[in-house]
Structure formats: structure tokens, C-alpha cells
Amino acid sequence: GRVWETKQSEWWPDVTTQSSEIYPRKELARKADLHAAYAAPVMRDHEVVAVLLFNMREPREKDEQFALLISIVTKELSNLMSVHETKAQALQARAELEALFEQLPVGVYRATLDGYLIEGNSRLFELFAVSDLELVKDVNVASVYVNPDDETPIREELVESGESVDREFQLKRADGIPIWVRNSTKLIRDSSGEPIYVQGIIQDITEHKEAKDALEQSEERYRLLFERNQAGVFHTREGRLIDCNEAFARILGYDSV
């Protein structure tokens, strides 16, 4: 593909609008209702040895924070692949990778196919208000969805599409407090193509969602005030009228805006 040839990462805001030459999996993505995608190469000795591909359900312009996070992971994977040959070096690589995951500002996890956590980093446990894996290893993921209907479509799409699934939804922390999260999940298969586990990245976006909702509510209150004001209210730009309420229209002799 293009990333293998150019050796450069690439973000597509909506792969369904691309040609098949640019994005060969276009039709597969369309059938799975996937849109935005990000591909990043893993390099070793100046050659591409793997490509990490993340597909998202909605069209989205490039998320610089997400792209930076993935670039850090690919660089670390490249470094680990190029220097660790012996068993001792492999153990060191594992320790370094675990240290990297612990430092990431987002939750990283692996889970069984039936929804039980295998491992996660400290940010994941912080996000769910628990101290370690032992406190959540017997908790099925289905039980922490605020809306249980959010869980089944994600699981089904993972199996059907074979791609990464990106969604935003609400989960419950261990203390019962609901939080909004952005979750990017991928189904991992063995060499014969059989699913073996799920891995993903999860980010707390509660503050972002609350700020967005507050802005929308503020805009709605302003719109109602604007439209229902008994006094004439209008907006101009460079001397031209661009908007006004019904009261101002009546002042000008019009029946409506």
C-alpha cells in the first residue's frame, strides 16, 4: 500500500471518498461503515516491517494527539525490534515496552474475547478509579457500560470488519461515577486467522464532552433569546445585514425574517 511505499504515515478523513488505488480497502470499509483511518509504518533498518492501521466509525480530520501517540509507539516498536536479539535483550525489551505503556497518557489494555481484562496500564486503572488488575479481573466489560446497548454492536463490528473500531460512549467507574470515553479497539488474530484477544486504547474525554454540551446549551439559550426578544435584534458584517429576529423584520415592514 501507499504507506509501505512512501514509508510515511497517512491520515484519511474519510476513506470512502478515496479512490481504490489510494485506499484498496475502500469497499470493505464502506460495508463496515468505517470512515476515517490512520496508518503508521513501523521501520527497521530504514525499511517498513509492519503497518499499524486504525479505522474509525465517523469521518474525522487528523487528530494530532492521537497521531503523536501512535508515532511514539511505532518508534519504540522499531527500536525494540532492531536491537534485541538474545533472551536477556528480549526481557529488557519487554520491560521497556511496559515502561512505555505506563507512561502513556491514555489507557492501554488487552481483554479476552468474552470481555474480561487480561492486562492494562496504570492510566487505565486510574481512569476506572481502581488501583490494580486484581480489583477488576473478574469484572466483565458489559457491566461497566452506562448504556448496555453500546457493547454488542462494537463486539459484532470487530468480528465482521476485521478493522479497528473507534467509538465514543459512557462507562461507569468503580465508584459509580459515569465518564465519557473514546475507545479504539482491534481484534487480534493468530497465524491461522482465529481471534485470540482484543486490544485497545481508551481515553477519558469527559471534560471535552461537557465543554461541548455546555457550548451547545449556551448557543441554544442565545438563539432563543435572539429569536424571542421583543426588541429588534440584528447582525451585520461589513455593512450588510446577515441575520435578524422577527421583531426587527417587522420594524422594517416585513411579515417574517
Side-chain angles (χ1 to χ4, degrees), residues 145-155 167-171 180:
Y145 280 84
V146 170
N147 180 5
D149 293 337
D150 286 334
E151 191 262 344
T152 301
I154 294 176
R155 185 175 64 251
R167 291 282 186 86
E168 293 180 2
F169 46 80
Q170 277 189 299
L171 297 177
W180 277 98

Side-chain angles (χ1 to χ4, degrees), residues 14 27 35 69 77 80 86 138 177 242:
D14 189 347
E27 291 306 316
H35 292 274
L69 171 65
L77 287 174
L80 295 174
T86 66
D138 295 325
I177 296 177
I242 61 172

Side-chain angles (χ1 to χ4, degrees), residues 5-247:
E5 296 173 356
T6 65
K7 302 179 182 180
Q8 300 291 323
S9 61
E10 189 159 356
W11 184 288
W12 297 276
D14 189 347
V15 296
T16 64
T17 65
Q18 303 294 323
S19 67
S20 297
E21 289 75 21
I22 292 178
Y23 196 85
R25 296 184 178 183
K26 171 183 177 179
E27 291 306 316
L28 181 61
R30 188 192 303 278
K31 291 177 182 179
D33 195 24
L34 300 173
H35 292 274
Y38 181 59
V42 178
M43 308 291 294
R44 182 178 181 183
D45 297 330
H46 306 292
E47 296 296 330
V48 179
V49 295
V51 172
L52 302 184
L53 177 64
F54 299 87
N55 286 86
M56 302 160 212
R57 191 165 183 80
E58 302 295 334
R60 182 187 300 175
E61 293 301 319
K62 186 173 183 180
D63 186 331
E64 295 294 347
Q65 182 180 5
F66 181 78
L68 176 60
L69 171 65
I70 299 305
S71 72
I72 293 173
V73 172
T74 58
K75 288 177 181 177
E76 288 299 321
L77 287 174
S78 176
N79 291 337
L80 295 174
M81 292 170 66
S82 64
V83 300
H84 298 296
E85 302 289 340
T86 66
K87 182 178 180 180
Q89 290 173 325
L91 291 174
Q92 179 64 25
R94 173 71 179 182
E96 291 178 3
L97 189 57
E98 289 179 350
L100 169 66
F101 284 167
E102 287 302 310
Q103 295 169 12
L104 292 176
V106 295
V108 181
Y109 63 88
R110 282 200 303 151
T112 64
L113 299 177
D114 55 353
Y116 290 93
L117 195 63
I118 299 172
E119 64 178 347
N121 65 351
S122 58
R123 177 56 185 148
L124 178 75
F125 302 134
E126 178 184 338
L127 188 147
F128 283 101
V130 296
S131 57
D132 55 52
L133 177 63
E134 289 300 314
L135 297 176
V136 291
K137 68 177 184 179
D138 295 325
V139 177
N140 191 279
V141 65
S143 67
V144 300
Y145 280 84
V146 170
N147 180 5
D149 293 337
D150 286 334
E151 191 262 344
T152 301
I154 294 176
R155 185 175 64 251
E156 293 176 348
E157 187 174 334
L158 278 172
V159 175
E160 292 174 3
S161 72
E163 303 288 349
S164 207
V165 176
D166 187 81
R167 291 282 186 86
E168 293 180 2
F169 46 80
Q170 277 189 299
L171 297 177
K172 292 177 291 187
R173 302 195 329 171
D175 54 13
I177 296 177
I179 57 173
W180 277 98
V181 299
R182 177 181 297 158
N183 184 54
S184 181
T185 311
K186 187 173 182 62
L187 184 65
I188 305 302
R189 300 175 184 271
D190 61 20
S191 58
S192 64
E194 291 298 315
I196 51 177
Y197 62 84
V198 171
Q199 69 180 22
I201 297 173
I202 189 167
Q203 180 181 8
D204 186 346
I205 59 168
T206 304
E207 291 186 3
H208 169 75
K209 293 286 290 187
E210 290 177 345
K212 181 180 178 181
D213 290 345
L215 178 61
E216 291 176 351
Q217 292 173 11
S218 176
E219 291 175 344
E220 178 62 18
R221 286 195 297 270
Y222 173 78
R223 170 54 57 182
L224 291 175
L225 178 62
F226 178 84
E227 293 176 348
R228 298 176 181 178
N229 201 317
Q230 296 303 307
V233 183
F234 62 95
H235 293 158
T236 62
R237 180 180 298 150
E238 298 179 353
R240 298 182 62 185
L241 182 67
I242 61 172
D243 196 8
C244 71
N245 64 357
E246 297 285 347

